[in-house]
Amino acid sequence: QDDILHMDLTVVQALRYSAQMRLPTDISSAEIEKRIDNVLTQVELQGQKTTQIKKLSGGQRKRASIAVELLADPPLFFLDEPTSGLDPGLEQKMMKMLRGLADSGKTIILVTHATANITECHQVAFLSQGRLVYYGPPHLAGDFFEVGNDNFAGIYREISDSEPAIAVEKAILWERRFRMSSFYKKYVTDR
């Protein structure tokens, strides 16, 4: 969950070095600079272009890390806890930025325990004991678990338990219930 950026470099230096390592050797310097400008715009870091990585806020560092990955223009991102350690405002900004990337045609898959802004996602998957117990739109998850809309803490209570044997039993029951539901048919089977 740590950022893999050299802390003494500026944002633009880190991006240039990453571009030299990640992009084909026949890409011109002008094309590299164009890509750097594009990714800085995507992650909203144009104003921090010449700032050292170590002087960025936590959210800015996470966005700089994402910018490094965006240089190669991948269609798919896997992110592990991209909002961990961020204050609620930065978490919201990060989730909105990720939603913008998804809306631009990229597939973003992320793991998170922070649910305040989970409705920015198109789809969510809830796992319990390694079992898929829900997959579908986040705004319908509360209905499926019968805890009410946007009550993600209630969902966690439903699918987990501090006693390992009970947690496994709950996971098995919720997995069966999900597989027999219209949600499973619509969002898993019919896809």
Side-chain angles (χ1 to χ4, degrees):
Q1 295 174 0
D2 288 333
D3 301 304
I4 53 168
L5 299 169
H6 194 289
M7 295 299 202
D8 290 326
L9 297 176
T10 65
V11 172
V12 72
Q13 288 172 326
L15 290 173
R16 279 191 193 119
Y17 286 128
S18 293
Q20 289 172 350
M21 292 189 306
R22 294 169 181 251
L23 299 177
T25 56
D26 62 346
I27 291 183
S28 69
S29 295
E31 175 62 22
I32 288 173
E33 292 305 314
K34 183 179 175 187
R35 285 193 187 203
I36 288 171
D37 286 340
N38 286 342
V39 300
L40 287 173
T41 299
Q42 284 180 293
V43 300
E44 301 177 13
L45 282 178
Q46 308 92 324
Q48 290 75 30
K49 189 176 188 173
T50 59
T51 303
Q52 282 183 303
I53 301 292
K54 67 183 172 188
K55 294 182 180 175
L56 296 175
S57 70
Q60 290 169 332
R61 264 197 310 279
K62 288 182 185 291
R63 286 185 281 149
S65 292
I66 291 171
V68 166
E69 301 304 326
L70 282 171
L71 284 170
D73 196 27
L76 176 66
F77 276 88
F78 287 95
L79 301 166
D80 183 23
E81 298 281 355
T83 62
S84 71
L86 300 182
D87 68 55
L90 286 175
E91 177 194 340
Q92 182 181 50
K93 187 172 188 164
M94 178 71 78
M95 290 297 287
K96 286 185 182 294
M97 190 240 354
L98 293 171
R99 175 60 185 255
L101 289 173
D103 290 343
S104 76
K106 304 217 177 284
T107 300
I108 311 291
I109 299 172
L110 63 93
V111 175
T112 187
H113 293 94
T115 59
N117 296 290
I118 203 76
T119 54
E120 290 296 328
C121 298
H122 292 107
Q123 306 289 325
V124 295
F126 280 94
L127 301 174
S128 179
Q129 303 297 311
R131 298 172 182 275
L132 182 64
V133 297
Y134 176 83
Y135 179 80
H139 68 277
L140 297 178
D143 293 339
F144 174 74
F145 290 103
E146 299 175 350
V147 297
N149 279 347
D150 298 331
N151 183 3
F152 297 106
I155 293 171
Y156 279 103
R157 283 190 303 275
E158 284 294 320
I159 65 175
S160 62
D161 197 281
S162 60
E163 176 63 42
I166 294 172
V168 170
E169 286 178 27
K170 280 182 151 186
I172 291 168
L173 290 172
W174 279 112
E175 179 186 41
R176 284 185 189 146
R177 183 175 177 186
F178 176 61
R179 285 182 175 258
M180 295 185 315
S181 73
S182 61
F183 290 94
Y184 185 80
K185 180 176 179 355
K186 183 173 183 178
Y187 297 109
V188 178
T189 306
D190 290 350
R191 291 180 65 141

